[in-house]
């Protein structure tokens, strides 16, 4: 059952560790939380949690989700403009806990929608905020997207700092954001006015009280698990409205692949599938389902899988990609399938029985 803080909830069945256990346990939320508010069993300490959202941004599968995520989605897609604000900023139309909750898919969604409507984010004084780590990580994610994407002139996210003045880097100036969008956060002077910090703290406490009261009367997010993270759902919906190609991490398989199918076996999302049909084995990849947990890369013995950013449109992201198609190799002695490409064509068991091959295959 989800454990509430003020805004963040843990949806245990979405957690990759529970969805499909793996030798290397995912601890991104635990490691990245700047306030040590998440313990080893993913329970949130409400006295430490500030709802910065970094656990939501780094979790690949929506293990942690902001309870207002559906309200945010309705605002982003439903209005003539997008106006988001942090609790310590001037009011926007839709309040979010922190931009720290935005992952790569969420930022890409906002960039796509900015070609059809104004997108504005009002921040607090991020340099003086206790959630600076979450904010900074999110902004770095945005800059990474921009570095891989040449934006049309009509795509622009406006970020308004706490003093209400828009900060825009001029082309060619020091610290210019990569390729085009008007994105900046006021991070000057970390030793900011104490009264501002006090005000931010008071606002957060007021909003925590408000959210806790709200939670008493509002059902928490649906407790059942879902396979596709919310931000990925947003992204595909945005691509339906604003067709085009976006930078999207995908996978390739080279000739080292033996179609053993281990990658498909460990994939918690079903993004990799292993199909045997009429003596041919295939590895199929579905980008839409992939949350880039990289389990497939970690277990691939021949290191045949590589990840790279590609320019993909909605059709390819939603579609199925044939990564590999091979005819299985069979042991020349016992006829069992072998999963290496070393010569001679014997399985490990038969090779062990041949003294001349000792040390070559095992």
């Amino acid at each position: 059952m989800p454990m509430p803080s003020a805004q963040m909830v843990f949806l245990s069945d979405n957690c990759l560790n529970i969805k499909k256990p793996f030798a290397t346990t995912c601890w991104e939320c635990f490691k990245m939380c700047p306030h040590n508010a998440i313990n080893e069993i993913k329970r949130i300490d409400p006295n430490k949690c500030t709802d910065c959202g970094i656990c939501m941004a780094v979790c690949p599968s929506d293990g942690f989700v902001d309870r207002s995520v559906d309200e945010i989605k309705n605002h982003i897609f439903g209005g003539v403009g997008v106006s988001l604000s942090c609790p310590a900023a001037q009011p926007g139309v839709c309040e979010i806990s922190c931009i720290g909750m935005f992952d790569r898919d969420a930022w890409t969604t906002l960039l796509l929608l900015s070609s059809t409507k104004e997108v504005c984010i009002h921040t607090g004084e991020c340099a003086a905020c206790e959630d600076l780590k979450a904010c900074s990580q999110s902004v770095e994610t945005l800059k990474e997207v921009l570095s891989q994407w040449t934006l049309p002139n009509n795509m622009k996210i406006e970020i308004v700092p706490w003093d209400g003045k828009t900060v825009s880097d001029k082309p060619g100036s020091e610290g210019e954001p990569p390729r085009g969008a008007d994105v900046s956060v006021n991070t000057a002077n970390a030793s900011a006015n104490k009264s501002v910090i006090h005000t931010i703290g008071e606002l957060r406490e007021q909003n925590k009280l408000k959210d806790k009261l709200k939670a008493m009367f509002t059902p928490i997010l649906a407790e059942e698990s879902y396979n596709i993270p919310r931000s990925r759902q947003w992204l595909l919906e945005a691509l339906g409205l604003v067709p085009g190609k976006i930078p999207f991490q995908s996978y390739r398989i080279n000739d080292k692949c033996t179609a053993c199918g281990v990658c498909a076996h460990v994939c918690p999302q079903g993004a990799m599938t292993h199909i045997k049909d009429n003596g041919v084995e295939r590895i199929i990849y579905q980008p839409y389902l992939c949350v880039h947990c990289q389990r497939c890369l970690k277990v691939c013995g021949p290191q045949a899988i590589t990840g790279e950013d590609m320019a993909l449109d909605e059709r390819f992201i939603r579609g199925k990609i044939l990564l590999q198609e091979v005819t299985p190799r069979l042991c020349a002695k016992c006829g069992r399938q072998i999963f290496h490409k070393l010569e001679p064509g014997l399985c490990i068991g038969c090779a062990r029985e041949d003294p001349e091959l000792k040390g070559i295959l095992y």
Side-chain angles (χ1 to χ4, degrees):
M1 178 167 178
M3 298 299 300
S5 64
Q7 279 295 115
M8 304 307 299
V9 293
F10 177 49
L11 301 180
S12 59
D13 287 343
N14 282 2
C15 177
L16 296 184
N17 300 331
I18 295 174
K19 187 178 289 189
K20 179 172 280 191
F22 186 62
T24 305
T25 304
C26 177
W27 290 108
E28 288 304 304
C29 56
F30 177 79
K31 292 187 296 184
M32 293 299 294
C33 179
H35 309 296
N36 296 317
I38 303 172
N39 65 16
E40 293 86 346
I41 59 172
K42 307 297 178 70
R43 187 181 295 271
I44 302 172
D45 184 342
N47 296 316
K48 294 181 179 179
C49 179
T50 64
D51 304 313
C52 68
I54 194 170
C55 55
M56 178 177 172
V58 300
C59 178
S61 59
D62 274 11
F64 282 98
V65 185
D66 188 288
R67 74 170 66 249
S68 298
V69 66
D70 289 332
E71 296 175 22
I72 297 170
K73 186 259 185 180
N74 291 338
H75 168 70
I76 289 174
F77 285 92
V80 294
V82 177
S83 177
L84 304 171
S85 68
C86 128
Q90 66 185 72
V93 176
C94 180
E95 185 179 290
I96 60 175
S97 298
C98 177
I99 63 173
M101 71 170 65
F102 290 155
D103 61 7
R104 182 184 177 113
D105 287 348
W107 280 121
T108 307
T109 297
L110 290 173
L111 285 167
L112 285 168
L113 294 179
S114 72
S115 67
T116 63
K117 61 177 75 178
E118 181 181 342
V119 176
C120 182
I121 300 176
H122 301 275
T123 73
E125 191 187 19
C126 297
C129 181
E130 58 189 337
D131 294 332
L132 175 61
K133 178 179 178 180
C135 173
S136 299
Q137 164 129 344
S138 184
V139 170
E140 287 304 310
T141 299
L142 172 58
K143 290 182 177 180
E144 180 184 332
V145 174
L146 294 173
S147 70
Q148 299 164 350
W149 192 6
T150 302
L151 295 179
N153 293 330
N154 62 339
M155 285 189 183
K156 176 182 177 181
I157 296 177
E158 184 178 24
I159 297 183
V160 182
W162 71 282
D163 58 3
K165 296 179 181 179
T166 303
V167 178
S168 302
D169 288 322
K170 303 299 181 183
S173 65
E174 185 178 354
E176 178 184 355
R179 298 195 188 182
D182 179 10
V183 290
S184 54
V185 176
N186 183 0
T187 56
N189 191 7
S191 58
N193 189 301
K194 290 184 179 180
S195 64
V196 174
I197 300 174
H198 180 66
T199 302
I200 291 173
E202 285 183 339
L203 283 168
R204 286 200 174 277
E205 288 304 314
Q206 292 171 7
N207 279 282
K208 276 196 171 188
L209 177 60
K210 177 185 70 176
D211 292 326
K212 286 178 180 178
L213 289 171
K214 179 181 175 182
M216 293 173 63
F217 302 100
T218 304
I220 296 175
L221 290 168
E223 295 182 16
E224 66 271 13
S225 63
Y226 50 90
N227 202 38
I228 308 300
R230 291 290 209 281
S231 59
R232 179 63 53 78
Q233 296 176 34
W234 296 1
L235 177 58
L236 270 294
E237 185 170 341
L239 274 173
L241 299 172
V242 187
K245 292 185 177 181
I246 61 170
F248 192 91
Q249 189 181 70
S250 186
Y251 292 115
R252 293 183 184 276
I253 289 182
N254 58 38
D255 290 339
K256 295 179 182 178
C257 175
T258 61
C260 67
V262 174
C263 56
H265 179 72
V266 301
C267 180
Q269 295 288 119
M272 290 276 192
T273 53
H274 179 213
I275 299 174
K276 298 181 180 181
D277 182 33
N278 293 325
V280 176
E281 302 200 16
R282 300 179 177 90
I283 302 295
I284 307 294
Y285 175 59
Q286 295 176 262
Y288 179 50
L289 299 176
C290 179
V291 295
H292 307 122
C293 64
Q294 299 191 345
R295 288 186 179 184
C296 54
L297 277 72
K298 295 173 183 176
V299 302
C300 183
Q303 298 183 333
I305 304 175
T306 56
E308 62 181 87
D309 291 300
M310 305 179 187
L312 301 180
D313 59 19
E314 182 187 12
R315 181 173 64 90
F316 273 91
I317 295 174
R318 286 191 183 275
K320 296 181 179 181
I321 301 173
L322 176 63
L323 293 184
Q324 181 65 296
E325 183 176 65
V326 299
T327 300
R329 297 186 72 206
L330 303 179
C331 176
K333 187 172 182 180
C334 69
R336 290 182 295 186
Q337 186 172 353
I338 55 179
F339 297 105
H340 58 78
K341 293 192 175 182
L342 299 176
E343 296 298 338
L346 299 177
C347 68
I348 299 297
C350 293
R352 283 197 177 115
E353 297 174 358
D354 190 331
E356 294 183 5
L357 298 177
K358 185 176 182 180
I360 297 179
L361 296 180
Y362 63 96

